[in-house]
Amino acid sequence: MSKYKVTAVIVNYNKEPYISQCIESVINQSLQPIEIIIVDDGSTDNSGIISSRYAAAHPHVRYLTQENKGVSSARNKGLSYAQGEYVAFLDADDYVSADAYERLYKAAVQSDADTAVGNFECFNEYRNWQLAYMKKVFAKGLPAVRHISTHQELHLTPSVSNKLFKREWLLQHKIVFQENLQIGEDLLFTQKSLYLSNKTAMCDHPVLYYRVNEEEQTLSKQTTLVFFEQLVFAQKELKQLYHLLHRQNEFGHIEKRQLDFFISSLFRKAAAFSKESLHELLIISHAFIHTLTEKSLLNQLDSKDKLLSQIIIQKDYERFVKFLSSFCKDSFTYELVQQDQKVYSKLVEEYPAYAQWLEVHSLQAEHRIEVIRLEGANLTIGGYGFVKGLSTEGIQKELVFKSKMETKIISLENELRTDVSYLFAHNKINYHHAGFKTTTINLVNLLQNGSSWNVFLRLRAGGKTVEEPVQVILAQLRNHAKPNITHNIEVSASFSTNSQMSIRVKKVNFLEKCISRLTGIKRAVRYDVSFLKKKDYHTFSAIVLYKLFNRLYRNKNIWLIGERKDTAQDNSYHLYTYIRTNYQHQNAYYVIDKNAEDYHRIKDLGNIVHFNSLKHTLYLLVSQKTINSYSEASNMYTTAYKNIIKYYPEWQQNEKIFIQHGVIGVSRVNHVLHKNRMNYSQFVVSSPFEKKHIVKEFGYSEDEVIVTGLARWDALKDISTGKEILVMPTWRNWLKTEEQLFESDYWNRYISLFKDEEFIRLLEQKDLTVTFFPHYQMQKLIKTFPEFGSRIKIAKQGEETVQNMLKRHSVLLTDYSTVAFDFAYMNKPVLFYQFDYDDFYSKHYNEGPINHKFDLFGKRVEEQGALIEEFKSIYTEKDSLEEYFITQYQSKFDKFVSKKPGLISEQLFQAISEER
């Protein structure tokens, strides 16, 4: 019998910063006894010294060394010395959870399995995350003991580090690592092990923490011909393995994975190769394609990959270079074109010789139901749908109801949805007309009594027709379609496990009507009681209070006003202040966290509702109006309220009013604020220009969009002395870490400006000061800001309200931020520093109807030199800053803002108060 239950073989090569964490994670395992073998593969740092110290201090830790031969050789050496019943392999920069090997060992022993597989998490210095494919490996319903021959998902986990292997069994089958294989060595080992294993025990627990080190220069991260040669070698070895195992008929699963990886690696790495190397790469690629056992896999590729594979097969060097180059420059789209009644990838226009491989034989549709309600006999439905790759120009949409005997068709009216082009194609394919207007259908008049009808969305585009079942993904939407009984006719909607919708219309007698209603009551009671069982007394109490006092509270005409849960600074705050000062009879309440820094600014006005209190949830349910200057659902709802309206969506009867926190037009945000998504009753804008945009692209009617301006503008009063410059750029959402920020052009542009000698000289000559107010996302990333001298100050979040900063500065430097409108409202000049225009409007936002290159109400510059010159111009050549703005930019500003000084809050209150 083995002395140890598990032997952990740790391979180290220059992992000095991490190896202690790795070794200690194994030493401190809950499973004992455990053997640790550290194999040093010729390290040149101090990691070997660290390892030897652990070996000297712990009798169950063994330290072995060898010349640098690679990870496979080191693992084999460790395996040859192992004494444990099971063996685990670990890289020295990773670590394992405290009970990792206990969980894996128990799973293996209890099922007498030769192999065991655990889950794992990736991590770096900023975050932890799980890989999507591991969710498939541990999907619900899969057995705890499996075999790879009958469970293809096991092909998705090639790593050896999240597994245990029975040692005697490895020796019996002579399973070792291929030492001349540097790419795919884990894959080959696990493929052989999992196939020869009697069974594999599964452990859905993060046993391994895998370090993702972007700076590490392993072969897999390098751009070399050797990398691709190794992929060819790995493919040949895998092919040979399946032949020896007599599993050739199962090779397609892993071969497809290798093919996808090879082609994606070409696209990812080819840009770094010289033209001479690309010729060699083509030869290597041809050799890889030649090794494929199942050539039919090439037909399963998408058009981009299929074209590349055919270019490789024909050894078409010129097109190989051209295609990889164009793709690396991000010029590729998945757009489809029609020629001679056939549909092709748009690539056919540049590569007509490959037309037969670029023809698309199966079209796919994409749709989303955003609005669905079943009220009596009426079904109301709205959303969007398009054929992937095909322009929606001229598209026709139909809602199709099919029973066993007949088909009924309802035509749908197109609606402009520029957001769909942005969300699904980065504006490279025209999906603008993907939307269909919310439509109400009387199902009793349309459908035959007693029949069950499946519902489909049919799309006709460019002579092609695609039809797919209507799916309603969100549970809250499905709960809007609960059974209804009207005049002895029951209309009900049902949804399959994959959310596909069907409709049934049938006559019911008195007894059936009672049973249906009783069923609905029992379902609701079960839902209510579930919160009691979970000890969620907040949600349960809110449901009970609503059912008891709903009518009483609704008669109180409650308005619930808020911003973010911890702020009282923006339009909601200013409107609430106005209402409490001038219309105290109105039952208006402000929602804010009682621990928020802004709480003191609002508490003396009274009628405060503490965020996430029971009163907050109840008032959300019974209020007549909810008013917010930010997204209401994200910033105003309690968890309890979200749970309640998910099941009882019909309880959400309040008018939702969006009073804005900026001017829409700089960027298109209809994907966030569309009527089908937010369902605002009133949408506040600042000009007829903005209203036209909202009506055209956001799905709101003319009377739902009201032009008043922003409530906070009533408090705008210039208190500057003419000597203060405010620098306030917006964010770049592609910057996720401090390191990325410091390396970005975005950061370095502003640092360069603040250090520019000419700029500093101008500040001193004109006695100017600068306040740099970094975006709050920047402030979250940066621990310490650099110092720039006495004339440039960094303003921190919370030190001063944004509005006060805007009032006390005389010139604003921004880029794309809507604070420019507030500043210009006071007739003060704005400079727009837009050095990354194309990146911003491709990576961050979708460009709006206000053209930043031509329509702005301030000077737009792209380079630092031009920016400094404009500052000089403003402070030396103009009689006054106000005159500079009025003469140069007032007319442009008036297009986007209708000025109503001191009257906005009053007009807004009156508009909200009107009966609708």
Side-chain angles (χ1 to χ4, degrees):
M1 185 171 179
S2 299
K3 180 180 177 181
Y4 299 104
K5 292 177 180 179
V6 169
T7 295
V9 177
I10 301 174
V11 174
N12 169 59
Y13 177 70
N14 289 343
K15 302 298 182 186
E16 181 181 347
Y18 317 119
I19 193 165
S20 291
Q21 182 184 27
C22 176
I23 296 172
E24 289 186 10
S25 75
V26 184
I27 287 175
N28 296 320
Q29 283 293 294
S30 58
L31 179 70
Q32 296 295 334
I34 192 168
E35 179 184 34
I36 303 172
I37 298 177
I38 307 166
V39 184
D40 190 275
D41 188 35
S43 295
T44 57
D45 62 2
N46 292 321
S47 55
I49 297 173
I50 296 171
S51 301
S52 63
R53 288 173 181 166
Y54 277 102
H58 300 275
H60 62 294
V61 177
R62 189 166 189 171
Y63 175 56
L64 306 174
T65 62
Q66 67 175 32
E67 294 180 1
N68 183 242
K69 297 180 181 179
V71 65
S72 294
S73 173
R75 285 173 178 167
N76 286 339
K77 184 166 186 172
L79 178 58
S80 70
Y81 282 86
Q83 301 176 54
E85 184 183 350
Y86 285 84
V87 180
F89 298 97
L90 190 60
D91 292 333
D93 55 348
D94 302 331
Y95 68 96
V96 287
S97 60
D99 59 353
Y101 295 138
E102 180 180 7
R103 286 178 177 270
L104 287 172
Y105 180 78
K106 283 183 177 179
V109 170
Q110 286 172 1
S111 56
D112 189 28
D114 294 327
T115 52
V117 177
N119 211 332
F120 69 92
E121 288 186 5
C122 299
F123 74 99
N124 57 26
E125 60 181 307
Y126 306 108
R127 64 186 182 105
N128 286 48
W129 70 96
Q130 285 191 328
L131 295 175
Y133 65 73
M134 291 304 291
K135 294 179 182 178
K136 298 179 182 178
V137 175
F138 290 100
K140 288 182 179 179
L142 290 174
V145 181
R146 310 175 207 166
H147 193 274
I148 194 170
S149 62
T150 53
H151 286 273
Q152 298 173 14
E153 72 278 356
L154 293 182
H155 289 284
L156 298 173
T157 174
S159 173
V160 295
S161 298
N162 63 329
K163 298 174 178 64
L164 282 189
F165 306 89
K166 187 174 283 187
R167 184 176 62 85
E168 289 295 338
W169 166 81
L170 288 177
L171 297 175
Q172 176 190 346
H173 291 281
K174 299 179 181 178
I175 302 175
V176 294
F177 291 90
Q178 185 95 344
E179 295 191 10
N180 56 350
L181 185 62
Q182 298 167 278
I183 298 291
E185 70 278 359
D186 277 26
L187 175 63
L188 190 62
F189 187 93
T190 54
Q191 284 283 299
K192 187 172 184 178
S193 299
L194 294 177
Y195 266 111
L196 290 176
S197 173
N198 63 342
K199 48 192 153 182
T200 299
M202 306 300 294
C203 175
D204 188 7
H205 180 78
V207 298
L208 170 73
Y209 292 91
Y210 175 80
R211 187 183 304 273
V212 178
N213 190 344
E214 299 297 338
E215 296 178 358
E216 187 179 43
Q217 286 301 304
T218 59
L219 179 58
S220 62
K221 294 180 180 178
Q222 293 174 5
T223 302
T224 64
L225 292 172
V226 174
F227 169 83
F228 290 97
E229 289 171 342
Q230 281 281 302
L231 287 180
V232 176
F233 180 49
Q235 168 69 7
K236 290 178 179 177
E237 291 296 312
L238 285 165
K239 188 175 179 180
Q240 177 67 14
L241 172 63
Y242 274 76
H243 176 75
L244 293 173
L245 294 173
H246 304 291
R247 298 277 189 173
Q248 294 93 324
N249 60 323
E250 299 174 27
F251 189 40
H253 302 310
I254 197 65
E255 191 169 52
K256 183 180 187 307
R257 181 184 181 279
Q258 293 301 95
L259 173 61
D260 291 341
F261 182 69
F262 189 94
I263 291 178
S264 66
S265 297
L266 285 174
F267 287 122
R268 194 171 61 251
K269 295 174 179 285
F273 284 106
S274 64
K275 287 194 174 182
E276 295 75 15
S277 296
L278 281 173
H279 189 273
E280 293 183 60
L281 182 58
L282 176 59
I283 302 303
I284 296 169
S285 302
H286 186 270
F288 181 87
I289 298 291
H290 185 69
T291 65
L292 292 177
T293 302
E294 295 189 29
K295 297 295 192 292
S296 60
L297 290 173
L298 298 174
N299 297 324
Q300 299 173 24
L301 299 173
D302 65 24
S303 57
K304 166 181 61 71
D305 294 353
K306 190 182 293 184
L307 173 58
L308 180 57
S309 67
Q310 292 303 321
I311 289 173
I312 290 170
I313 288 170
Q314 297 187 28
K315 293 185 178 180
D316 190 340
Y317 172 70
E318 289 186 5
R319 290 187 176 88
F320 182 72
V321 174
K322 175 186 175 183
F323 185 48
L324 287 177
S325 173
S326 64
F327 185 83
C328 291
K329 292 177 181 176
D330 200 29
S331 61
F332 174 79
T333 73
Y334 285 91
E335 187 172 0
L336 304 179
V337 296
Q338 292 182 293
Q339 296 179 3
D340 302 324
Q341 302 301 310
K342 294 181 179 180
V343 177
Y344 296 91
S345 163
K346 190 175 177 63
L347 291 166
V348 76
E349 295 176 351
E350 287 190 72
Y351 302 92
Y354 291 87
Q356 68 181 97
W357 293 287
L358 293 172
E359 184 179 356
V360 177
H361 299 282
S362 177
L363 297 175
Q364 294 180 300
E366 179 85 31
H367 81 274
R368 183 179 179 90
I369 301 303
E370 300 169 309
V371 175
I372 188 165
R373 291 189 299 275
L374 193 56
E375 298 168 318
N378 293 325
L379 172 69
T380 301
I381 192 166
Y384 60 77
F386 58 92
V387 180
K388 290 182 180 179
L390 282 181
S391 168
T392 56
E393 195 71 44
I395 192 173
Q396 295 176 301
K397 307 183 194 77
E398 296 169 337
L399 205 59
V400 182
F401 298 83
K402 291 185 180 181
S403 69
K404 291 182 179 179
M405 304 297 295
E406 59 181 319
T407 299
K408 301 286 187 178
I409 298 174
I410 298 293
S411 294
L412 299 171
E413 186 179 351
N414 285 343
E415 182 175 56
L416 184 67
R417 291 295 296 270
T418 56
D419 59 311
V420 178
S421 297
Y422 169 63
L423 289 172
F424 290 93
H426 301 290
N427 293 320
K428 293 181 179 179
I429 304 173
N430 179 2
Y431 292 145
H432 287 7
H433 296 89
F436 56 90
K437 289 189 176 179
T438 300
T439 304
T440 300
I441 305 159
N442 188 296
L443 296 176
V444 172
N445 294 338
L446 178 70
L447 306 180
Q448 181 179 339
N449 176 46
S451 297
S452 180
W453 302 78
N454 293 320
V455 189
F456 298 83
L457 182 65
R458 181 180 292 168
L459 306 172
R460 304 180 190 272
K464 299 293 180 180
T465 300
V466 181
E467 184 176 285
E468 65 173 29
V470 166
Q471 291 180 298
V472 183
I473 304 298
L474 297 178
Q476 183 173 337
L477 285 178
R478 295 198 294 270
N479 285 328
H480 267 297
K482 294 173 183 173
N484 278 268
I485 298 177
T486 306
H487 304 303
N488 297 323
I489 295 178
E490 183 181 62
V491 180
S492 59
S494 60
F495 302 91
S496 66
T497 53
N498 58 353
S499 304
Q500 294 182 6
M501 181 180 180
S502 60
I503 297 289
R504 187 174 182 85
V505 178
K506 67 172 184 176
K507 288 185 178 180
V508 291
N509 57 34
F510 178 76
L511 179 60
E512 290 171 322
K513 198 185 300 184
C514 291
I515 291 172
S516 177
R517 287 174 178 164
L518 183 60
T519 301
I521 292 171
K522 287 172 64 178
R523 191 187 305 117
V525 169
R526 280 198 303 271
Y527 184 77
D528 299 351
V529 173
S530 70
F531 293 106
L532 201 56
K533 290 180 178 178
K534 291 184 286 189
K535 297 184 179 180
D536 184 354
Y537 303 121
H538 180 156
T539 304
F540 180 76
S541 300
I543 292 172
V544 172
L545 289 171
Y546 178 83
K547 289 182 176 181
L548 290 174
F549 303 112
N550 167 34
R551 291 185 180 179
L552 173 65
Y553 275 95
R554 284 202 178 276
N555 291 332
K556 293 178 179 291
N557 189 24
I558 293 170
W559 292 11
L560 208 57
I561 304 176
E563 295 172 359
R564 297 189 176 106
K565 70 176 183 179
D566 57 351
T567 64
Q569 297 184 16
D570 212 321
N571 296 308
S572 298
Y573 163 73
H574 286 279
L575 176 63
Y576 184 72
T577 302
Y578 185 81
I579 293 172
R580 293 295 293 158
T581 303
N582 298 281
Y583 295 97
Q584 291 189 10
H585 66 276
Q586 176 58 54
N587 260 341
Y589 295 82
Y590 196 91
V591 179
I592 190 168
D593 190 318
K594 62 182 178 182
N595 296 316
E597 290 184 6
D598 282 354
Y599 185 77
H600 71 280
R601 306 184 71 238
I602 197 84
K603 65 177 181 178
D604 291 341
L605 292 172
N607 281 11
I608 305 302
V609 174
H610 295 156
F611 189 91
N612 209 33
S613 63
L614 179 59
K615 184 177 182 180
H616 180 194
T617 300
L618 180 62
Y619 275 29
L620 282 167
L621 289 167
V622 300
S623 59
Q624 291 292 328
K625 302 178 192 292
T626 48
I627 303 165
N628 205 304
S629 49
Y630 292 87
S631 170
E632 180 175 304
S634 302
N635 296 285
M636 205 170 183
Y637 292 175
T638 65
T639 301
Y641 180 69
K642 292 175 184 177
N643 287 333
I644 293 168
I645 62 171
K646 181 178 180 179
Y647 185 79
Y648 295 110
E650 66 274 13
W651 289 8
Q652 193 174 35
Q653 297 177 19
N654 55 295
E655 293 181 25
K656 296 195 291 184
I657 300 164
F658 183 52
I659 61 173
Q660 285 260 37
H661 57 274
V663 176
I664 294 177
V666 172
S667 304
R668 277 186 165 85
V669 290
N670 44 350
H671 62 291
V672 178
L673 298 172
H674 195 275
K675 174 76 172 177
N676 286 353
R677 182 180 174 90
M678 303 307 296
N679 195 30
Y680 289 122
S681 302
Q682 290 178 293
F683 196 119
V684 171
V685 297
S686 299
S687 68
F689 173 89
E690 189 180 359
K691 177 173 182 174
K692 182 179 179 182
H693 174 54
I694 300 302
V695 170
K696 181 181 179 182
E697 297 194 18
F698 288 62
Y700 293 90
S701 63
E702 289 275 349
D703 63 340
E704 289 174 323
V705 184
I706 54 177
V707 181
T708 63
L710 308 182
R712 66 175 184 250
W713 288 347
D714 280 342
L716 285 177
K717 182 180 179 182
D718 182 20
I719 57 173
S720 66
T721 64
K723 297 290 187 178
E724 313 89 350
I725 298 171
L726 176 62
V727 179
M728 193 172 173
T730 191
W731 186 236
R732 309 298 189 269
N733 64 9
W734 62 85
L735 301 175
K736 307 295 185 184
T737 67
E738 184 182 67
E739 182 181 9
Q740 289 176 345
L741 174 62
F742 288 156
E743 292 177 354
S744 69
D745 189 38
Y746 170 64
W747 169 261
N748 288 307
R749 288 277 189 155
Y750 288 102
I751 299 304
S752 176
L753 173 66
F754 297 151
K755 291 183 176 180
D756 188 284
E757 293 181 1
E758 189 175 6
F759 182 61
I760 299 298
R761 195 159 45 247
L762 174 66
L763 299 181
E764 292 173 347
Q765 288 174 352
K766 300 296 181 181
D767 192 24
L768 306 175
T769 60
V770 173
T771 302
F772 177 41
F773 184 56
H775 193 275
Y776 75 94
Q777 291 287 4
M778 183 187 291
Q779 297 197 32
K780 282 167 62 176
L781 289 182
I782 298 178
K783 300 176 180 65
T784 305
F785 281 86
E787 294 185 4
F788 301 103
S790 59
R791 293 193 175 272
I792 301 176
K793 177 192 173 185
I794 307 293
K796 299 293 181 64
Q797 196 78 28
E799 291 178 345
E800 184 180 7
T801 66
V802 171
Q803 187 175 65
N804 196 61
M805 279 195 286
L806 296 175
K807 291 195 294 185
R808 71 175 184 83
H809 286 80
S810 56
V811 175
L812 172 67
L813 172 63
T814 187
D815 41 18
Y816 315 95
S817 175
T818 58
V819 296
F821 290 92
D822 297 63
F823 207 81
Y825 196 88
M826 295 179 281
N827 296 333
K828 296 194 289 189
V830 181
L831 298 181
F832 296 91
Y833 191 22
Q834 297 180 351
F835 48 82
D836 58 353
Y837 187 91
D838 292 335
D839 278 345
F840 186 84
Y841 282 118
S842 62
K843 295 180 181 180
H844 188 92
Y845 271 135
N846 191 21
E847 189 171 10
I850 299 176
N851 189 314
H852 263 71
K853 291 187 175 180
F854 306 105
D855 296 338
L856 290 174
F857 41 88
K859 183 70 174 181
R860 175 183 178 272
V861 295
E862 295 182 353
E863 298 298 333
Q864 183 171 306
L867 176 60
I868 295 172
E869 288 302 314
E870 189 58 31
F871 272 122
K872 289 180 180 179
S873 175
I874 289 174
Y875 281 104
T876 58
E877 299 178 10
K878 310 304 174 187
D879 294 334
S880 74
L881 296 178
E882 182 176 8
E883 180 184 350
Y884 166 78
F885 175 81
I886 291 173
T887 57
Q888 297 279 345
Y889 299 108
Q890 183 72 61
S891 60
K892 285 191 173 183
F893 181 73
D894 289 347
K895 178 182 177 181
F896 307 124
V897 172
S898 300
K899 278 193 173 183
K900 301 170 183 176
L903 300 175
I904 298 174
S905 294
E906 173 63 24
Q907 292 188 0
L908 186 52
F909 176 78
Q910 295 300 334
I912 293 173
S913 300
E914 288 180 8
E915 293 290 331
R916 297 177 60 77

